[in-house]
């Protein structure tokens, strides 16, 4: 459907299309017509300035909650206790923990230890032990907007290979963030994440990815952590999404715990690490809104 030059823009600004997103849409058309492997972002992926401000505020609160829980991530603390800390801090800051009751998830945060890839459920009987690696994944709703990020923590004396896994996973994320620029593609950074992981002897989880985030918890686009350069969704200013690579020491295959319906494990029992940042794409680059 083509919008007339003098009709109102699809973005809701109230401006005429020609004075608003017309040049932007033309640029997308030129790129996607030239290369059929590049897909067009849909209008819902492009946030308004007002939405972007809301997402920034939610992201900032979410990072503060991660900072608060980080102080308690030590040997001997239960993941159930970490969940209570997240719930309390979120409330104190005026937010809502997005995981709680999300599609039936029972807790306020995900705590994923060792061979748990993601979506680990906090447990009063699971105490962090010397040698564990744990991902803490917080998502916060603040004034209706979402911020989502996760960090890894190493408890005490960790196996050097596992330390390397945690470090390489962070490098994969940092490299992706550096090149997640407007007018590049999701495939451009997916390729680099997979390359860096495999160059280090590790593998990238394929079934689970990052996601558009901000107006809702999980929005389009789906963000794979593998890919080919110059393919996949085009990245444009106004997008808001996460990059959250899950990297395994062993095989990439994973399965979901059939009892709790949430916990994702590596098939081969090898450890897995994950870091997640939430980004906004700007005219000239990106902004990390939660980390
Ligand atoms: N925070 C996770 C993500 O990065 C999603 C967790 S869903 C939950 O997408 F229900 F397990 F919380
Ligand atoms: Co998350
Ligand atoms: Co996420």
């Amino acid at each position: 459907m083509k919008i007339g030059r003098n009709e109102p823009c699809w973005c809701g600004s109230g401006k005429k299309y020609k004075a608003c997103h017309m040049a932007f849409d033309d640029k997308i058309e030129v790129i996607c017509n030239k290369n059929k492997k590049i897909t067009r972002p849909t209008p819902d992926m492009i946030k308004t300035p007002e939405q972007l401000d809301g997402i920034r505020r939610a992201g900032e609160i979410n990072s503060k909650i991660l900072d608060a829980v980080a102080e308690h991530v030590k040997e001997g603390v239960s993941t159930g206790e970490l969940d209570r800390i997240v719930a309390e801090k979120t409330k104190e800051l005026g937010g809502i923990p997005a995981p709680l009751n999300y599609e039936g998830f029972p807790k306020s945060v995900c705590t994923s230890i060792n061979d748990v890839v993601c979506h680990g459920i906090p447990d009063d009987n699971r105490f962090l032990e010397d040698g564990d690696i744990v991902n803490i994944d917080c998502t916060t709703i603040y004034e209706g907007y979402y911020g989502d990020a996760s960090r890894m923590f190493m408890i005490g004396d960790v196996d050097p290979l596992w330390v390397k896994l945690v470090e390489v996973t962070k490098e994969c994320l940092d490299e992706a963030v550096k090149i997640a620029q407007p007018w590049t593609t999701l495939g451009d950074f997916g390729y680099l994440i997979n390359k860096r992981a495999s160059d280090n002897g590790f593998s990238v989880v394929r079934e689970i990815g990052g996601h558009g985030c901000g107006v809702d918890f999980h929005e389009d686009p789906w963000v794979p952590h593998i890919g080919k350069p110059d393919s996949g969704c085009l990245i444009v200013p106004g997008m808001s999404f996460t990059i959250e690579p899950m990297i395994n020491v062993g095989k990439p295959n994973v399965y979901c715990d059939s009892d709790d319906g949430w916990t994702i494990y590596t098939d081969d029992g090898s450890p897995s690490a994950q870091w997640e940042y939430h980004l906004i794409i700007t005219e000239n680059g990106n902004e990390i809104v939660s980390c």
Side-chain angles (χ1 to χ4, degrees), residues 73-268:
V73 184
K74 294 195 185 96
E75 185 176 354
V77 73
S78 74
T79 53
E81 180 62 18
L82 298 176
D83 176 68
R84 282 187 287 279
I85 291 161
V86 168
E88 268 165 38
K89 191 70 188 177
T90 307
K91 197 168 169 200
E92 181 192 316
L93 294 175
I96 299 167
L100 188 62
N101 301 322
Y102 172 77
E103 294 183 5
F105 191 81
K107 299 283 180 178
S108 298
V109 62
C110 297
T111 53
S112 303
I113 304 173
N114 301 343
D115 64 332
V116 175
V117 174
C118 62
H119 303 168
I121 301 175
D123 177 354
D124 286 332
N125 297 312
R126 177 57 163 101
F127 300 89
L128 294 180
E129 292 169 9
D130 184 54
D132 282 340
I133 58 171
V134 58
N135 174 277
I136 310 277
D137 190 342
C138 285
T139 313
T140 304
I141 311 172
Y142 184 72
E143 293 174 348
Y145 294 101
Y146 290 73
D148 184 12
S150 80
R151 304 178 191 165
M152 289 301 293
F153 299 86
M154 296 188 266
I155 309 302
D157 194 12
V158 172
D159 182 304
L161 181 62
W162 298 28
V163 173
K164 184 181 165 196
L165 173 72
V166 171
E167 289 173 352
V168 168
T169 305
K170 182 61 163 49
E171 289 165 16
C172 287
L173 175 60
D174 289 342
E175 188 169 19
V177 168
K178 226 186 285 164
I179 68 143
Q181 305 280 337
W183 315 110
T184 68
T185 68
L186 296 185
D188 291 336
F189 70 73
Y191 171 78
L192 288 179
I193 290 170
N194 189 34
K195 179 165 184 346
R196 187 179 278 260
S198 34
D199 285 352
N200 282 280
F202 300 140
S203 68
V204 178
V205 172
R206 285 148 195 262
E207 290 89 338
I208 307 157
H211 49 95
C213 185
V215 171
D216 210 338
F217 197 160
H218 294 111
E219 304 179 308
D220 288 335
W222 187 68
V223 178
H225 301 110
I226 59 167
K228 295 202 178 90
D230 292 317
S231 72
C233 187
L234 186 68
I235 299 172
V236 300
M239 284 171 86
S240 170
F241 59 84
T242 70
I243 307 178
E244 47 181 303
M246 285 142 275
I247 313 278
N248 303 346
V249 159
K251 297 258 159 58
N253 312 60
V254 300
Y255 69 93
C256 182
D257 187 308
S258 56
D259 292 328
D260 68 31
W262 280 103
T263 315
I264 306 290
Y265 292 92
T266 58
D267 258 356
D268 60 10

Side-chain angles (χ1 to χ4, degrees), residues 3-8 16-19 22:
I3 307 173
R5 302 169 53 80
N6 291 310
E7 287 182 82
K16 286 183 179 173
Y17 184 47
K18 67 180 178 194
M22 191 171 88

